[in-house]
C-alpha cells in the first residue's frame, strides 16, 4: 500500500520525502483534501502527532513525524539505492550536511522570511543576525561546492535532497539574484538540482524571486466596542413590524468611524514655509541645483515653524549586505508615510565597502520631532537624532550636501540616496 503523507501541496518539508521516494521507487501519496490549520487539528491527526505539526507520514507500522526523519525513513525503505552513500564515511558526511542545512541554512532563512509574512514579530536586529548567519553558511557551502558537484560523492544523496528543499524556500521567496550572486557555486548547485528529473517532477518549474517581501506595517489592533449595559428592569420594547434594513447596512452603521481628532501639527501657528512648494522646487530643479533649489530652500525655511534633524543609524557595523541595507532604508521611508504631510527627508547609504553607513536629514513641521512619528514608527529608535543648529555654518553646509546628494560625502562615495517627499 502507498504511504500517506499528511501535508499541504506546497510544503517544502513534504518535498523532501516525495523526492526521496522518486529516487527509491516507493509510492508516497499526499493526503487528499489536506487543509493546514484544519486537518492537522483533528483528533485523528493529533493521535499521529500530538503537537499538530506537519508533515506526518502514515505507515502500516505507525506514524512518523519531523520532515528529516520522514525523509530518512523513506530513503532506507529499499537498500539498493545510493541516497545514503556507499561507506560509513559517506553516511557520516551525508548526516553532517543534513544537520548543517537544517541548522545553518533553513533556520536562518526562516528567521528572515517568516517575520516578513507576519507569522513572527519583525525585529530588525533579529533579521540582521539571520542574514549574517545565512551569509556565513552559504559562504561555507559555496567553498565546498567549488570542487564538488554534489555534497557527498558523485551522485545525488539525501543530503542534496534536504539541502535543495531548504534552499528552495529561500530562492522562491526571499533570496533575490543580487544576494545569491555572491555565492556562484551555490547558484550552480541549486539550479542543477532542481532541474534533475526526480526533483522537477515534484517541484515543477522553479523561478527565483525578484523581490524581498516588504516588512509588515505595524498597525495597532482596533479596540472592541463595549456594549451598552441595559438598565435594570428596563421594559422590552415591542418590535415594530417594519421592513428590516439589510444586515450589511446595520453593520456599517454600527462600525461608522468617529471623526478623527485634528493632528496637533495642524493647530500650530501658520508658517511662511509652504512644504509642498519646497517639494515642488526640489523635484523640478534639474540644473544649477545649488543656485536654485538650495538657495530656494533657505529662502523658504522658517525656523519657528519647522525644524531640521540629522539622523545616524545606531548599528552601522551590521550594514554588511548591500541590498539589505538599502531595503532597510526603503522600509523606513515606507513606514514614514504617516508623516508625508508634515515632513521631507533625505537618506544616504554611504561607502564602497561594508559596513555601509546610513545617515539622513529630516525636515519636520514644528520645533521637535512629532510625537506621533516617534510613537508609531519604530524605526525612529534605531537612529540617533541631532537637531541642526543653523547658526553653525558647518552644519548648514552639511544640510546642503545632503539635500543635493553631494559626492563624495564626508570623504566617501554614495552607494544610494533616497528622498522622502
Amino acid at each position: 500500500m502507498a504511504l500517506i503523507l499528511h501535508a499541504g501541496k506546497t510544503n517544502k518539508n513534504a518535498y523532501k520525502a516525495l523526492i526521496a521516494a522518486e529516487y527509491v521507487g516507493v509510492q508516497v501519496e499526499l493526503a487528499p483534501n489536506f487543509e493546514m490549520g484544519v486537518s492537522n487539528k483533528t483528533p485523528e491527526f493529533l493521535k499521529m502527532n500530538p503537537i499538530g505539526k506537519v508533515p506526518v507520514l502514515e505507515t502500516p507500522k505507525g506514524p512518523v513525524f519531523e520532515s528529516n526523519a520522514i525523509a530518512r525513513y523513506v530513503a532506507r525503505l529499499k537498500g539498493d539505492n545510493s541516497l545514503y552513500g556507499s561507506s560509513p564515511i559517506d553516511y557520516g558526511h551525508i548526516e553532517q550536511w543534513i544537520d548543517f542545512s537544517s541548522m545553518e541554512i533553513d533556520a536562518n532563512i526562516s528567521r528572515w522570511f517568516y517575520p516578513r509574512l507576519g507569522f513572527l514579530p519583525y525585529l530588525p536586529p533579529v533579521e540582521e543576525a539571520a542574514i549574517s548567519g545565512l551569509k556565513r553558511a552559504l559562504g561555507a557551502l559555496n567553498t565546498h561546492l567549488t570542487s564538488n558537484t554534489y555534497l557527498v560523492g558523485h551522485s545525488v544523496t539525501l543530503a542534496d535532497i534536504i539541502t535543495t528543499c531548504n534552499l528552495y524556500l529561500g530562492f522562491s521567496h526571499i533570496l533575490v539574484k543580487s544576494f545569491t550572486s555572491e555565492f556562484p557555486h551555490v547558484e550552480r548547485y541549486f539550479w542543477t538540482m532542481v532541474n534533475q528529473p526526480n526533483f522537477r517532477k515534484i517541484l515543477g518549474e522553479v523561478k527565483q524571486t525578484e523581490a524581498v517581501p516588504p516588512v509588515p506595517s505595524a498597525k495597532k489592533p482596533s479596540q472592541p466596542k463595549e456594549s451598552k449595559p441595559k438598565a435594570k428592569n428596563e421594559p422590552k420594547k415591542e418590535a415594530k413590524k417594519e421592513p428590516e434594513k439589510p444586515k450589511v447596512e446595520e453593520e456599517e452603521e454600527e462600525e461608522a468611524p468617529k471623526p478623527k481628532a485634528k493632528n496637533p501639527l495642524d493647530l500650530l501657528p501658520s508658517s511662511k514655509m509652504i512644504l509642498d512648494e519646497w517639494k515642488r522646487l526640489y523635484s523640478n530643479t534639474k540644473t544649477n541645483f545649488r543656485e536654485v533649489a538650495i538657495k530656494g530652500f533657505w529662502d523658504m525655511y522658517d525656523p519657528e515653524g519647522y525644524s531640521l534633524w540629522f539622523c545616524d543609524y545606531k548599528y552601522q557595523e551590521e550594514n554588511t549586505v548591500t541590498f539589505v541595507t538599502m531595503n532597510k532604508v526603503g522600509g523606513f521611508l515606507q513606514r514614514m508615510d504617516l508623516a508625508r504631510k508634515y515632513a521631507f527627508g533625505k537618506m544616504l547609504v554611504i561607502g564602497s565597502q561594508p559596513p555601509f553607513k546610513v545617515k539622513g536629514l529630516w525636515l519636520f513641521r514644528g520645533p521637535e520631532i512629532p510625537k506621533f512619528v516617534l510613537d508609531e514608527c519604530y524605526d525612529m529608535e534605531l537612529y540617533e537624532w541631532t537637531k541642526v543648529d543653523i547658526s553653525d555654518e558647518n552644519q548648514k553646509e552639511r544640510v546642503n550636501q545632503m539635500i543635493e546628494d553631494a559626492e563624495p560625502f564626508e570623504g566617501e562615495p554614495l552607494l544610494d540616496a533616497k528622498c522622502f517627499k
Side-chain angles (χ1 to χ4, degrees):
M1 62 172 284
L3 303 170
I4 305 299
L5 188 62
H6 295 262
K9 293 179 180 178
T10 59
N11 187 317
K12 62 94 177 170
N13 285 327
Y15 293 158
K16 300 172 186 177
L18 295 172
I19 295 169
E22 292 297 323
Y23 276 94
V24 175
V26 173
Q27 190 178 0
V28 176
E29 295 178 358
L30 286 170
N33 304 317
F34 182 89
E35 185 179 349
M36 187 64 187
V38 177
S39 304
N40 60 315
K41 303 298 182 187
T42 62
E44 294 78 14
F45 187 94
L46 294 175
K47 284 181 182 177
M48 296 189 291
N49 184 350
I51 60 174
K53 292 178 73 175
V54 297
V56 171
L57 184 69
E58 189 177 353
T59 82
K61 296 185 178 181
V64 181
F65 57 81
E66 294 297 332
S67 63
N68 288 350
I70 295 169
R72 289 180 174 109
Y73 171 82
V74 171
R76 289 190 174 104
L77 284 176
K78 289 187 178 179
D80 57 343
N81 70 78
S82 60
L83 291 187
Y84 260 107
S86 57
S87 66
I89 192 63
D90 282 353
Y91 172 83
H93 285 157
I94 289 165
E95 289 294 328
Q96 161 195 293
W97 285 110
I98 289 174
D99 288 351
F100 176 87
S101 170
S102 301
M103 302 303 295
E104 304 296 335
I105 295 176
D106 187 43
N108 283 313
I109 289 174
S110 297
R111 290 189 194 109
W112 181 7
F113 178 52
Y114 291 123
R116 285 180 171 260
L117 293 189
F119 295 162
L120 295 169
Y122 177 80
L123 300 170
V126 173
E127 179 174 90
E128 288 288 335
I131 293 169
S132 177
L134 180 60
K135 192 175 181 182
R136 184 172 60 249
L138 292 180
L141 180 61
N142 194 68
T143 299
H144 177 74
L145 293 171
T146 302
S147 54
N148 294 278
T149 302
Y150 304 99
L151 290 177
V152 181
H154 302 288
S155 62
V156 172
T157 65
L158 189 62
D160 297 302
I161 293 172
I162 290 176
T163 299
T164 300
C165 287
N166 290 334
L167 287 171
Y168 170 82
L169 176 68
F171 272 76
S172 300
H173 297 289
I174 202 162
L175 302 183
V176 293
K177 177 66 178 175
S178 59
F179 183 89
T180 60
S181 61
E182 296 183 36
F183 313 101
H185 300 294
V186 174
E187 285 187 320
R188 181 264 305 159
Y189 168 80
F190 177 75
W191 294 115
T192 298
M193 290 297 105
V194 298
N195 284 295
Q196 298 291 313
N198 287 333
F199 281 80
R200 197 175 178 89
K201 183 175 179 180
I202 302 302
L203 301 177
E205 184 182 359
V206 178
K207 292 184 178 179
Q208 188 165 9
T209 185
E210 295 181 353
V212 176
V215 174
S217 57
K219 291 185 178 178
K220 294 182 181 178
S222 57
Q223 295 297 321
K225 271 194 151 187
E226 291 184 10
S227 56
K228 189 177 179 182
K230 281 188 176 181
K232 199 174 181 182
N233 300 325
E234 184 181 341
K236 289 185 180 179
K237 292 182 180 179
E238 294 269 341
K240 293 181 182 179
K241 293 184 178 179
E242 292 178 359
E244 291 185 4
K245 291 182 181 179
K247 193 173 183 181
V248 173
E249 291 183 9
E250 288 178 3
E251 291 174 355
E252 287 177 355
E253 190 175 336
E254 290 173 5
E255 306 257 337
K258 293 179 181 178
K260 285 187 179 179
K262 274 201 168 187
N263 190 303
L265 298 182
D266 293 329
L267 304 177
L268 291 174
S270 59
S271 169
K272 71 167 189 174
M273 184 174 197
I274 309 300
L275 189 58
D276 285 342
E277 287 186 7
W278 156 241
K279 291 179 179 181
R280 274 195 297 273
L281 178 64
Y282 173 88
S283 299
N284 294 334
T285 304
K286 306 301 181 187
T287 58
N288 300 322
F289 199 86
R290 275 264 172 163
E291 294 76 8
V292 179
I294 300 295
K295 182 180 182 303
F297 174 79
W298 292 114
D299 289 343
M300 294 180 187
Y301 183 64
D302 171 18
E304 293 181 0
Y306 285 82
S307 55
L308 283 163
W309 297 80
F310 294 128
C311 67
D312 286 82
Y313 191 64
K314 292 179 181 178
Y315 310 102
Q316 306 284 20
E317 70 281 357
E318 296 177 357
N319 297 330
T320 57
V321 182
T322 306
F323 85 92
V324 174
T325 304
M326 291 192 284
N327 282 350
K328 181 188 302 177
V329 173
F332 174 34
L333 297 183
Q334 186 180 34
R335 288 181 287 281
M336 280 293 288
D337 195 62
L338 77 170
R340 194 168 297 278
K341 182 180 173 184
Y342 310 101
F344 170 87
K346 291 301 297 281
M347 293 297 295
L348 308 181
V349 181
I350 305 158
S352 56
Q353 297 292 329
F356 305 105
K357 295 173 186 171
V358 175
K359 301 185 178 187
L361 168 75
W362 286 84
L363 171 72
F364 289 115
R365 181 74 165 101
E368 300 296 332
I369 299 174
K371 186 177 183 301
F372 77 93
V373 175
L374 293 171
D375 290 344
E376 297 185 37
C377 183
Y378 67 78
D379 302 74
M380 299 296 286
E381 66 186 29
L382 302 177
Y383 292 82
E384 294 284 356
W385 294 88
T386 306
K387 194 171 186 177
V388 177
D389 179 2
I390 62 171
S391 66
D392 183 332
E393 288 301 321
N394 289 330
Q395 291 191 40
K396 199 170 176 179
E397 175 56 24
R398 190 170 189 253
V399 170
N400 296 342
Q401 291 179 12
M402 296 184 90
I403 291 176
E404 70 173 339
D405 305 335
E407 191 173 13
F409 179 76
E410 297 182 342
E412 295 186 82
L414 291 182
L415 179 65
D416 193 27
K418 296 184 184 295
C419 181
F420 176 90
K421 61 183 193 297

